[in-house]
Amino acid sequence: MIIDVHTHPIFHKAISEDKGVLDYRKQQFGIYKQSPAPIESVLQEMDYMGVSRSILLPIDLTTQSGGWIVSNEEVRTITELAPDRFIGFASVDPYRSDAVEVLDRAFRVLDLKGLKLHPSKQKFYPNDDIMKPIYKKCLEYDKPIMFHAGMSWEPDAPAKYSHPLHFEDVAIAYPELRMCLAHFGWPWIQETVMLLLKYPNVFTDTSILHMDNALDFYKQVFKTNMGPLWIERNLNDKVMFGTNSPRFKAKRLLPALEAMEFRPKTLQKILGGNAEVFLGERRNERPWLN
Amino acid sequence: MVKLKTIVLRSTAEFQMIKITEEIRSFIEECGVQNGIAAVISAHTTTGIMVNEGLECVETDIEELLERLVPKDMPYAHAHFLPSYGATGSNSPSHLKSMLSGNSCMFVVQNGKMISGDAQDVYLSEFDGPKSRKVHIQVIGE
């Protein structure tokens, strides 16, 4: 069972009929030369790589640029096409006056399973007081947060907002709030590792392919920047498989991950088991991590 | 007279040889051109258009030759972030296989029919699937 915890459904045909909306998404996300694909193609690509489920992430940019890189409603539209294959997340712009209402509706009415926030693109610091009602709403519904962390390839998305250390106050203040600091917080790998090591509620994902090919880059990050056994020994409950599709693809990342020579049990946790814990579908077998 | 048809195919594996001979033959016979040339052209840079004998053993030998000539793990230069895509390019083997196979072929059209040898089949060869692919068939003549 493989769960891809990090996909942006920008090019799903079911939500791409309006060219203006699609162009806005492409410009804001910084993704080009790809075209909308029907649900059959998306599922075929997942099947080919053995991915059983994918988390779909929207981004609300209402106060930043007046739109969404996929809206909560569009995520719901896609999940309804294949409810056993897609896990829809919500997003909310923290600066909109109705932020809490939007999020409540996303969880209660749209039945979305978590929250996506992008501090760099949405231009907020994770430990800002403005975020408190949003975190409390997630706790009320027991929903996890997928935070962008580290460098973003999206235009107009300064990395300073997404430095991993800004998440530490949140991890301390809300120990029951499960959060993923995506992309290993690259380039701040050591800081991300510190948070993963110390805080049971902090996770990360493997959606990094910023340089090299996937095999070379994973070797650099997982075996050189990090001690070669750190994931195996210390972080095997904290790392989740994620691609950041359509920017990076499972076709490249999965074979590279499988070449890292993790124990089969560790690889299985990374590919899906840790995602189930993050999503709240099951508790960790190690109670001190719950 | 110039007649064009674009066919769309969805490959289902990273490497795949998809026969398109009958699609080409049918279009030539229905397009109205009696005598001329038919060009078959892929719209992509990680596919090939090949003409060869349509046998599974030949397909296997072609695949294995391309794998030997273009290994997956080499220090390829095309392995970095591409701002014009917003994605990281790391599919150099697919591009190099495409270069080796070429992206087009041509056939003579005579008396409204495609002229081909008994052993000849036309393939769209996929080197970076699964993907949706386009092939243009243009018939030029009178």
Side-chain angles (χ1 to χ4, degrees), chain A residues 30-34 38 40-41 44-45 48 153 209-216 246-249 251-252, chain B residues 10-15 73-74 79-81 83-91 94 128-132:
Chain A
I31 189 91
Y32 316 101
K33 299 188 183 180
Q34 294 193 38
E40 294 80 9
S41 295
Q44 184 185 62
E45 198 172 328
Y48 182 68
W153 284 108
L209 181 49
H210 301 326
M211 291 188 274
D212 302 321
N213 60 41
L215 183 61
D216 290 347
R247 204 175 304 283
F248 314 129
K249 296 294 184 74
K251 191 165 59 176
R252 316 279 178 232
Chain B
R10 197 157 65 217
S11 61
T12 56
E14 183 161 8
F15 182 97
D73 297 325
M74 293 285 285
H80 62 96
F81 190 79
S84 60
Y85 275 82
T88 299
S90 54
N91 59 346
S94 312
D128 198 15
K131 273 190 165 65
S132 179

Side-chain angles (χ1 to χ4, degrees), chain B residues 50-96:
Chain B
M50 291 181 182
V51 179
N52 219 303
E53 186 156 13
L55 298 172
E56 189 178 351
C57 52
V58 174
E59 294 171 4
T60 299
D61 287 341
I62 290 171
E63 178 175 6
E64 290 179 1
L65 172 70
L66 289 172
E67 288 297 321
R68 286 198 299 277
L69 291 173
V70 190
K72 275 195 169 67
D73 297 325
M74 293 285 285
Y76 297 111
H78 180 60
H80 62 96
F81 190 79
L82 302 167
S84 60
Y85 275 82
T88 299
S90 54
N91 59 346
S92 214
S94 312
H95 286 288
L96 297 178

Side-chain angles (χ1 to χ4, degrees), chain A residues 4-7 55 57 89 114-119 126 135 143-150 162 164 167 170-171 174 177-185 192 195-196 199-207 237-243 270 274-275 277-279:
Chain A
D4 182 346
V5 300
H6 200 127
T7 74
I55 292 180
L57 303 172
F89 268 38
L115 173 63
K116 164 69 178 180
L117 292 170
H118 195 314
Y135 298 148
K143 304 289 188 186
I145 301 179
M146 172 63 73
F147 281 113
H148 171 86
S162 297
F167 297 98
V170 186
Y174 305 96
L177 180 60
R178 297 181 302 280
M179 64 185 77
C180 176
L181 310 186
H183 320 297
F184 256 90
T192 306
L195 296 170
L196 295 168
Y199 299 101
N201 54 331
V202 176
F203 296 76
T204 191
D205 71 33
T206 63
S207 61
D237 288 295
K238 301 307 214 60
V239 180
M240 302 185 285
F241 173 67
T243 59
I270 294 171
N274 294 338
V277 176
F278 173 69
L279 288 163

Side-chain angles (χ1 to χ4, degrees), chain A residues 51-190:
Chain A
V51 175
S52 48
R53 291 189 291 163
S54 295
I55 292 180
L56 308 179
L57 303 172
I59 303 178
D60 181 2
L61 299 174
T62 299
T63 69
Q64 295 298 322
S65 54
W68 298 67
I69 304 174
V70 181
S71 70
N72 294 343
E73 286 73 16
E74 287 170 330
V75 166
R76 170 76 188 193
T77 297
I78 299 168
T79 56
E80 283 178 337
L81 294 175
D84 56 333
R85 305 299 301 275
F86 297 128
I87 303 160
F89 268 38
S91 184
V92 68
D93 183 333
Y95 293 113
R96 59 189 297 166
S97 58
D98 60 347
V100 174
E101 290 76 19
V102 168
L103 190 55
D104 187 270
R105 179 176 184 277
F107 292 153
R108 184 173 44 81
V109 179
L110 301 179
D111 194 29
L112 299 177
K113 307 300 186 188
L115 173 63
K116 164 69 178 180
L117 292 170
H118 195 314
S120 294
K121 192 71 182 168
Q122 295 173 315
K123 293 194 175 64
F124 69 90
Y125 286 101
N127 53 359
D128 192 306
D129 283 349
I130 195 176
M131 300 307 297
K132 286 181 178 174
I134 292 173
Y135 298 148
K136 286 176 182 166
K137 184 58 69 178
C138 289
L139 282 172
E140 179 189 334
Y141 284 90
D142 190 29
K143 304 289 188 186
I145 301 179
M146 172 63 73
F147 281 113
H148 171 86
M151 186 197 76
S152 171
W153 284 108
E154 292 168 31
D156 191 21
K160 64 180 181 180
Y161 294 104
S162 297
H163 191 291
L165 291 185
H166 296 317
F167 297 98
E168 186 169 20
D169 293 336
V170 186
I172 292 170
Y174 305 96
E176 302 300 319
L177 180 60
R178 297 181 302 280
M179 64 185 77
C180 176
L181 310 186
H183 320 297
F184 256 90
W186 194 91
W188 295 293
I189 303 290
Q190 304 295 326

